[in-house]
Amino acid sequence: MHGIHLTIVLAPLAAAIIAGLFGRQIGRAGAHWITIIAVGLSFVLSVLVLKDLYWDGGEPANYSLYTWAVSEGLRMEVGFLVDRLTALMMVVVTFVSWMVHIYTVGYMHDDPGYQRFFSYISLFTFSMLMLVMSNNFLQLFFGWEAVGLVSYLLIGFWFKRESAIFANLKAFLVNRVGDFGFILGIAGVVMFTNSLDYATVFGQSQSIAAQQIEVYPGTPWNAMSVICILLFIGAMGKSAQAPLHVWLPDSMEGPTPISALIHAATMVTAGIFMVARMSPLFELSETALAVVLVIGAITAFFMGLLGIVQNDIKRVVAYSTLSQLGYMTVALGVSAYSAAIFHLMTHAFFKALLFLAAGSVIIAMHHEQDIRKMGGLRKYMPITYWTALIGSLALIGFPGSGGFFSKDLLIEAVHESHWEGQGAIYWIGYLSVLLGVFVTALYSFRMFFLVFHGEERMDKKTKSHLHETPWVVTVPLVLLAIPSAIIGWFTVEPILFGGYFGDAIFETERHDVLARMADEWHGSLGLVTHALQTPIFWLAAAGVFTAWFLYLKRPDIPEKIADRFSGIYTLLDRKYYFDDLWIKGFAAGGRNLGQILWNKGDELIIDGIIVNGTAKSIGKFAGILRRIQTGYLYHYAFAMFIGMTLILALLLWA
């Protein structure tokens, strides 16, 4: 299997290099064919790996490929850990990436950077595969930074746009904040274990948990809590958790295919995967789990509210991603790691579907993205309509859809997780994910109704050219709609209650909430039939009804509500002023501090006093000495006489 593992990783890398360096020689068709074939090959081989590990009973592989440095016993290696958690992530990443590659042929067909774009998205796939397949922290960090780099290149792909350059710089800098915490967490791991290898570190987890570290002198903290919180700060950046979420909505400045790839299968899922992989560490720190739970709860509810006031079709879906990532983070915070990964998987399919459906609408609307200028597209774009409906139903957790199984059971896991000492934190987590169901349904179907139903609000020129998009766009939509609709039926039992992950995920007996839920599990059909009796279903139904009433039946009411509650509307429209905090606060503050240091420190003190001041002093002193040097012999004799007199006077005085 080692050769298969290498092929899965290296095929997208090789395709990226060929498309990037030899794009002119192979042409546009060559660039898309080689990358599509490479990622498709990675997907097929990933399915074979999953089959071997799950259905054929194969053993997980954990091995080193190459050791490039050894320092005082610390080994720096390239290696793979391929267990069932890895295999699931490999299948999700490669399948969604494959669909995005095919879709890109239609979406980017007129773009002058065609070959470059295919090179980037193939390189993105390689980076994410290196991250999920790593067996050590060093390689994890390599993949972590590589997906960050490629996201920077892709968000700013249209580099002639000021907004795109601002967005990719914003993503890069915000992620540097998170990555600073992440690398400190890795440093903490090395400090206590002198190892970067997962297995070695996990084997010493009890030892780490028994030690303390002084972040501030005289204030000892539990070492495991410090390490896990630092690692989670990295996850907050990559998976866009508040307050490090501000970069993700602006990532919409990149082409739609990369929005789907970033939001569904690659960069933003890295943080969720990392925390699940580090479950042997997080399970030993109640403090770290509490931090994860609170941050996830805040993101899940409050970021969802922002989707209600967005009018850009891609930004609505982007804020949906923020909210759903919050759901996954809440699940991690209550030790329901399997539930988080399960929702990650189903979310990857329906979120990629929603983004690509939005892109299909944008193509048909000649790159118009304001949902207030759409309406009635159902009759013009039937395939996009039905696939977008499936994606929206999966997002809100309609009974039987893929999102239903993962979202409902995630919320139930949070509900069942109330263990001693949790108190208010438990209620924050549970109420946020429960109320978020209504919010999700409201913003999802607000967008759906405004785009596909109601009166046609586009101009006559756009309306005259409306039609369904080409097959290279619609085929990926259909292929993503299928798992979005049915994937939960086949996967919920093995992943959540069948011990699918085995030793890949670790929960202490006290935190094993899914084991307690297993006693009440009566199969997929039983869960669907029970759905009507839960508040989750009725909250989702209320959200859909509210969206229908406000935006189809009485479209005059939303404007009145915005006027009546203008303060709340402004708060949501300004995104809780987080952008102002980061841009006008931290960024502008840093620039102002630099300006002060330049003006006062560099120019006044260093240049003015130290450098130029020294030169001026020497010049003045030299000017005085110059007057003394007259060239007359009797002047020098007189100076010598005065000097000798002073010396004799000093000697006599002494």
Side-chain angles (χ1 to χ4, degrees):
M1 295 294 287
H2 292 190
I4 292 178
H5 299 158
L6 268 175
T7 304
I8 291 171
V9 171
L10 295 181
L13 175 62
I17 293 172
I18 293 170
L21 298 182
F22 306 102
R24 290 186 179 179
Q25 288 80 357
I26 63 176
R28 296 163 71 89
H32 71 236
W33 275 115
I34 194 167
T35 52
I36 289 172
I37 291 171
V39 176
L41 175 63
S42 293
F43 167 66
V44 172
L45 294 179
S46 296
V47 172
L48 291 177
V49 170
L50 181 63
K51 175 180 176 294
D52 175 69
L53 288 172
Y54 183 64
W55 284 281
D56 298 342
E59 291 296 319
N62 185 5
Y63 58 95
S64 174
L65 281 171
Y66 175 68
T67 301
W68 61 272
V70 179
S71 176
E72 297 181 358
L74 181 64
R75 301 179 67 85
M76 302 179 187
E77 300 175 321
V78 177
F80 291 151
L81 169 59
V82 183
D83 54 16
R84 291 180 180 180
L85 173 59
T86 305
L88 181 66
M89 291 296 299
M90 289 161 59
V91 171
V92 170
V93 170
T94 53
F95 178 72
V96 173
S97 178
W98 194 26
M99 293 300 101
V100 169
H101 275 70
I102 296 170
Y103 178 93
T104 300
V105 175
Y107 192 89
M108 301 289 288
H109 70 281
D110 291 328
D111 198 283
Y114 191 83
Q115 293 96 315
R116 178 166 58 95
F117 189 82
F118 274 97
S119 175
Y120 285 172
I121 57 177
S122 194
L123 184 62
F124 209 165
T125 308
F126 158 76
S127 302
M128 190 65 186
L129 288 171
M130 285 292 285
L131 188 155
V132 301
M133 294 174 70
S134 62
N135 72 344
N136 62 84
F137 284 92
L138 185 66
Q139 186 174 326
L140 173 70
F141 189 70
F142 165 78
W144 195 267
E145 293 302 308
V147 294
L149 169 64
V150 184
S151 70
Y152 169 81
L153 296 173
L154 283 164
I155 293 169
F157 182 79
W158 287 321
F159 53 84
K160 293 184 179 180
R161 292 184 182 178
E162 289 280 343
S163 57
I165 296 302
F166 178 79
N168 72 351
L169 183 61
K170 188 177 183 181
F172 188 81
L173 293 177
V174 172
N175 272 277
R176 296 290 68 74
V177 177
D179 293 352
F180 181 65
F182 188 60
I183 200 169
L184 285 177
I186 294 175
V189 167
V190 173
M191 182 173 72
F192 285 100
T193 66
N194 195 41
S195 177
L196 290 163
D197 180 70
Y198 288 165
T200 304
V201 172
F202 296 162
Q204 298 183 38
S205 57
Q206 294 288 350
S207 172
I208 301 173
Q211 300 187 60
Q212 292 186 324
I213 183 173
E214 290 189 3
V215 180
Y216 301 104
T219 307
W221 288 18
N222 179 266
M224 185 63 81
S225 295
V226 172
I227 289 172
C228 289
I229 290 172
L230 288 171
L231 291 174
F232 179 65
I233 290 172
M236 288 170 62
K238 277 289 179 290
S239 293
Q241 297 297 287
L244 301 182
H245 67 282
V246 292
W247 67 270
L248 193 59
D250 290 292
S251 68
M252 298 303 97
E253 291 296 332
T256 298
I258 193 51
S259 299
L261 199 54
I262 288 177
H263 286 245
T266 53
M267 184 158 168
V268 298
T269 63
I272 307 300
F273 166 79
M274 184 273 291
V275 175
R277 174 62 80 195
M278 299 301 143
S279 58
L281 304 181
F282 278 83
E283 278 298 278
L284 302 181
S285 173
E286 297 277 352
T287 303
L289 289 175
V291 171
V292 174
L293 175 59
V294 171
I295 294 295
I298 292 170
T299 307
F301 181 70
F302 289 101
M303 295 304 112
L305 289 175
L306 297 182
I308 300 172
V309 300
Q310 298 300 312
N311 295 312
D312 185 305
I313 187 171
K314 287 170 64 178
R315 284 184 178 266
V316 176
V317 187
Y319 280 105
S320 167
T321 301
L322 283 173
S323 180
Q324 297 306 304
L325 288 168
Y327 272 80
M328 299 173 208
T329 305
V330 169
L332 296 172
V334 299
S335 297
Y337 305 100
S338 299
I341 296 297
F342 183 39
H343 193 51
L344 182 156
M345 178 193 71
T346 62
H347 174 264
F349 296 126
F350 64 72
K351 187 50 58 71
L353 171 59
L354 286 171
F355 264 114
L356 298 188
S360 178
V361 169
I362 292 169
I363 293 171
M365 292 290 296
H366 298 283
H367 296 278
E368 176 59 65
Q369 297 183 197
D370 192 334
I371 59 178
R372 295 170 297 183
K373 298 179 181 178
M374 300 179 188
L377 293 184
R378 175 185 180 183
K379 66 181 180 182
Y380 300 102
M381 309 179 70
I383 298 176
T384 301
Y385 171 80
W386 286 108
T387 53
L389 177 60
I390 291 172
S392 298
L393 291 174
L395 173 59
I396 70 170
F398 184 80
S401 66
F404 162 75
F405 292 100
S406 61
K407 194 171 185 178
D408 275 39
L409 289 171
L410 185 154
I411 295 171
E412 188 60 28
V414 177
H415 181 239
E416 291 289 330
S417 69
H418 191 192
W419 53 76
E420 184 181 353
Q422 224 179 14
I425 293 176
Y426 157 78
W427 285 108
I428 291 172
Y430 179 59
L431 290 176
S432 69
V433 294
L434 188 61
L435 295 176
V437 172
F438 173 81
V439 175
T440 301
L442 177 56
Y443 68 66
S444 299
F445 274 85
R446 169 183 176 264
M447 178 184 73
F448 184 79
F449 290 142
L450 286 176
V451 172
F452 294 105
H453 289 272
E455 63 175 305
E456 299 171 358
R457 297 178 297 278
M458 68 287 293
D459 58 59
K460 291 182 179 180
K461 182 179 179 181
T462 301
K463 184 177 178 180
S464 65
H465 293 92
L466 278 175
H467 60 82
E468 187 60 271
T469 44
W471 70 267
V472 290
V473 173
T474 56
V475 166
L477 295 182
V478 174
L479 293 177
L480 284 166
I482 294 170
S484 297
I486 66 173
I487 192 71
W489 290 92
F490 310 105
T491 56
V492 57
E493 188 162 346
I495 290 180
L496 294 188
F497 308 114
Y500 166 81
F501 291 112
D503 295 333
I505 287 177
F506 170 76
E507 300 108 344
T508 61
E509 185 177 350
R510 179 170 180 260
H511 292 168
D512 197 355
V513 61
L514 294 176
R516 298 196 294 273
M517 291 172 59
D519 297 334
E520 300 177 4
W521 173 250
H522 301 295
S524 302
L525 185 60
L527 183 65
V528 173
T529 55
H530 179 68
L532 296 179
Q533 304 173 33
T534 65
I536 302 171
F537 172 81
W538 293 109
L539 283 168
V544 174
F545 175 78
T546 304
W548 170 82
F549 182 77
L550 292 179
Y551 297 99
L552 289 184
K553 191 72 174 176
R554 292 290 306 275
D556 58 303
I557 293 180
E559 188 174 348
K560 293 178 181 177
I561 293 175
D563 292 338
R564 178 69 178 82
F565 300 98
S566 58
I568 296 175
Y569 179 82
T570 301
L571 181 67
L572 296 177
D573 188 51
R574 296 296 297 270
K575 296 167 280 190
Y576 307 116
Y577 297 94
F578 271 114
D579 277 351
D580 292 335
L581 174 65
W582 282 102
I583 297 169
K584 298 180 181 178
F586 294 121
R591 288 197 303 270
N592 291 336
L593 178 61
Q595 189 80 16
I596 292 169
L597 292 175
W598 169 46
N599 289 334
K600 306 300 181 184
D602 192 25
E603 288 195 334
L604 179 63
I605 298 175
I606 296 175
D607 286 345
I609 297 176
I610 298 176
V611 178
N612 295 335
T614 303
K616 290 177 181 177
S617 299
I618 293 173
K620 290 179 180 178
F621 186 65
I624 295 170
L625 292 178
R626 189 182 303 118
R627 293 189 181 93
I628 295 174
Q629 302 297 322
T630 62
Y632 294 111
L633 183 61
Y634 63 87
H635 284 173
Y636 299 145
F638 181 73
M640 291 173 63
F641 176 76
I642 295 298
M644 290 297 297
T645 303
L646 290 173
I647 291 171
L648 288 172
L650 287 171
L651 289 173
L652 291 172
W653 179 265

